[in-house]
Amino acid sequence: MSFDAMNVITREDLDLLLNDLSREYRKQVKKDAPAEIILTGGASILINYGFRDTDFYLDAIIYAPPAMEEAIRQVGGRHHLPEGWLNQGASAASPSWSPHLARYAAYYRTYSDVLIVRTIRAEYLIAMYLRACRKYTIDFLDVIGILAEQQKLGKPVTMEMIRVAAKNLYGTWDSIPTFSRRYIRNVMKNGDYAEYYNRVTAQGQAIKNIPITFAENQNPADTDPSQAQDMSAAIRQFTVRRASRAAILEQLRHEL
C-alpha cells in the first residue's frame, strides 16, 4: 500500500496502518511488551463514524516502550506518510488534553496480540472539541456530525452527558470556554442534527463561505460572511477531501 501525494488517511487505511504498526512493533521490541494507543480527535471519528472520510494525520495518546517510536517511523516511511502521521506530541500540549482520558476511552481492537487500540467515547470527544474551542477549524462541524450519528444509532448524546464528561475530564463545566458552551446549547436546541449537518455542509459547498458565528444562530447564512475566511477554507478543504475519496480508494486498491 502506498499513499498519494495528498497523504490522506481513510478509515480503511487506518486499520491497515495499525495492523502494520503492530507487526513492526513486535519486530522492534523483540519481547512480550504490550502497547496501547488511544486514538483521539479525527482518528477517533474515522473509526467510530461515517461522516468523516479522511484525515491527514492521527492524533493519539501512546503508552509503549521506546521501540514504538521506531516502529512508527518505519511504518510511516514504508507507506510514504509524512513525519508525525501518528501525532503523539500534540495531545499533552492541547487544551483539550486531560490526564483522565484513558479512564474514559472505549476498547476498539487488539492487533497482533500486542497492540491494544482504544478510542474516545462520543460525549468525551465532544467535550474535548468544546474545550479546545478552535473556532477556525472543522471541529465544531465534527461535533454536529457526532451528535447526528449517535442519534441515528439510537444512542443520543444529551447535554447532561456532555456536562458530566467535561467535569470528569476537566473538573468543572465552567472549564469549557464561553463560546463553546453557547455553541453546544444552540446546536442542541435544533434537535435534528443530521439535517443541520447536511445544511451546513451544503451551504459550505454552495456559497463557499460559512461564518464562524454560525454556532450562535439557527441559520448559518444569517451572519456576516466576511467573518469566516478561515472557517470557509476548512469547509472547502473538508468537502474536497470527501469528493476525492473514491479516487483515492481506487488508487490504493491498485497499489495493495
Side-chain angles (χ1 to χ4, degrees):
M1 178 177 61
S2 176
F3 291 82
D4 71 348
M6 292 177 66
N7 291 313
V8 293
I9 299 173
T10 69
R11 182 175 182 175
E12 292 86 348
D13 303 333
L14 183 51
D15 265 327
L16 292 170
L17 288 169
L18 291 173
N19 188 53
D20 196 14
L21 181 62
S22 67
R23 294 180 179 183
E24 182 64 37
Y25 171 69
R26 286 184 69 101
K27 183 166 64 176
Q28 293 292 332
V29 78
K30 297 183 176 64
K31 61 181 180 179
D32 185 18
E36 181 176 328
I37 291 177
I38 301 175
L39 296 174
T40 67
S44 192
I45 287 176
L46 277 183
I47 281 182
N48 291 306
Y49 303 109
F51 68 87
R52 173 80 78 86
D53 294 326
T54 64
D55 215 330
F56 290 100
Y57 58 86
L58 308 173
D59 280 333
I61 301 169
I62 301 176
Y63 302 101
M68 178 61 78
E69 295 181 13
E70 179 60 20
I72 292 170
R73 193 184 70 79
Q74 290 290 337
V75 170
R78 191 150 55 236
H79 299 291
H80 309 291
L81 289 167
E83 184 177 354
W85 69 271
L86 190 59
N87 188 16
Q88 57 183 321
S91 299
S94 169
S96 65
W97 182 84
S98 165
H100 307 300
L101 275 169
R103 186 182 306 173
Y104 303 105
Y107 175 78
Y108 172 62
R109 185 175 169 184
T110 299
Y111 294 84
S112 303
D113 297 321
V114 71
L115 177 59
I116 299 169
V117 176
R118 296 197 284 161
T119 65
I120 304 299
R121 287 157 45 187
E123 64 270 31
Y124 287 88
L125 194 54
I126 291 172
M128 291 179 71
Y129 278 137
L130 296 178
R131 167 80 170 187
C133 195
R134 294 179 294 194
K135 300 179 184 179
Y136 301 100
T137 72
I138 211 72
D139 290 1
F140 286 121
L141 187 60
D142 283 345
V143 168
I144 306 173
I146 294 168
L147 291 170
E149 294 226 6
Q150 287 292 134
Q151 191 175 63
K152 184 179 178 181
L153 290 168
K155 299 177 180 179
V157 175
T158 66
M159 191 68 182
E160 181 59 22
M161 290 169 66
I162 298 171
R163 285 177 176 271
V164 169
K167 182 177 180 180
N168 288 340
L169 292 179
Y170 310 115
T172 173
W173 173 242
D174 291 338
S175 67
I176 302 300
T178 301
F179 178 92
S180 293
R181 283 182 278 152
R182 184 168 62 244
Y183 168 86
I184 195 64
R185 283 197 300 268
N186 284 321
V187 165
M188 297 193 82
K189 285 178 185 177
N190 182 287
D192 189 349
Y193 307 123
E195 186 276 335
Y196 192 29
Y197 181 89
N198 290 335
R199 175 155 52 90
V200 171
T201 54
Q203 287 181 335
Q205 291 174 320
I207 65 176
K208 307 298 184 185
N209 218 329
I210 300 297
I212 186 56
T213 50
F214 81 82
E216 304 172 31
N217 299 273
Q218 287 298 326
N219 186 347
D222 287 344
T223 52
D224 180 6
S226 67
Q227 301 172 7
Q229 296 304 316
D230 290 339
M231 184 65 169
S232 172
I235 294 282
R236 288 197 297 272
Q237 183 183 63
F238 175 79
T239 53
V240 165
R241 289 185 339 219
R242 289 185 62 183
S244 64
R245 179 174 182 269
I248 293 168
L249 287 177
E250 185 61 28
Q251 178 176 334
L252 288 170
R253 291 190 189 98
H254 284 303
E255 294 179 350
L256 284 175

